[in-house]
């Protein structure tokens, strides 16, 4: 994992920046993947009560990702809109 430190910058600050970027990349990827899974689960949900319960949690998750710039705020808005429509359509 640390092999890329040797062939790049030699400044202490730059090396720290590389380490931080690596950690953040992994963390952001985890958040993004978790959100996608949550969205998929909600989309496949047939039960109105269960979907209604899940929706606010998924919306909160999307808002957090948008706030941290992991996904674009318009993308978050589009997803929230579509998911809300989906939940409302369930009988």
């Amino acid at each position: 994992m640390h092999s890329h430190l040797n062939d790049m910058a030699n400044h202490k600050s730059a090396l720290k920046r590389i380490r931080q970027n690596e950690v953040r990349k992994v963390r952001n990827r985890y958040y993004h993947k978790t959100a996608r899974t949550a969205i998929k689960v909600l989309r496949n949900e047939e039960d109105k009560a269960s979907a209604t319960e899940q929706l606010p949690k998924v919306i909160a998750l999307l808002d957090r990702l948008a706030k941290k710039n992991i996904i674009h705020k318009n993308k978050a808005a589009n997803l929230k809109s579509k998911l809300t429509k989906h939940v409302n359509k369930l009988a």
Side-chain angles (χ1 to χ4, degrees):
M1 185 177 129
H2 297 293
S3 62
H4 60 279
L5 292 180
N6 303 334
D7 57 351
M8 288 179 76
N10 292 325
H11 290 284
K12 211 170 179 183
S13 59
L15 292 172
K16 179 177 177 181
R17 175 69 52 217
I18 292 166
R19 288 197 307 272
Q20 285 178 329
N21 287 342
E22 184 66 31
V23 167
R24 286 182 185 144
K25 186 174 87 180
V26 172
R27 189 182 298 142
N28 288 344
R29 190 183 291 156
Y30 167 76
Y31 288 149
H32 198 178
K33 185 66 182 148
T34 308
R36 284 205 299 261
T37 308
I39 289 166
K40 195 187 293 178
V41 168
L42 182 54
R43 278 208 182 112
N44 294 331
E45 188 62 64
E46 299 295 326
D47 178 39
K48 174 91 171 175
S50 176
T52 310
E53 188 190 323
Q54 282 178 29
L55 184 65
K57 291 175 185 159
V58 175
I59 285 179
L61 196 64
L62 289 170
D63 284 335
R64 275 201 302 276
L65 292 186
K67 189 177 164 193
K68 291 179 181 173
N69 268 334
I70 297 170
I71 59 175
H72 196 275
K73 67 180 185 4
N74 292 358
K75 182 184 174 77
N78 288 336
L79 285 169
K80 290 189 316 195
S81 165
K82 280 188 176 155
L83 289 169
T84 306
K85 271 179 163 171
H86 168 69
V87 170
N88 290 339
K89 235 175 22 190
L90 292 175

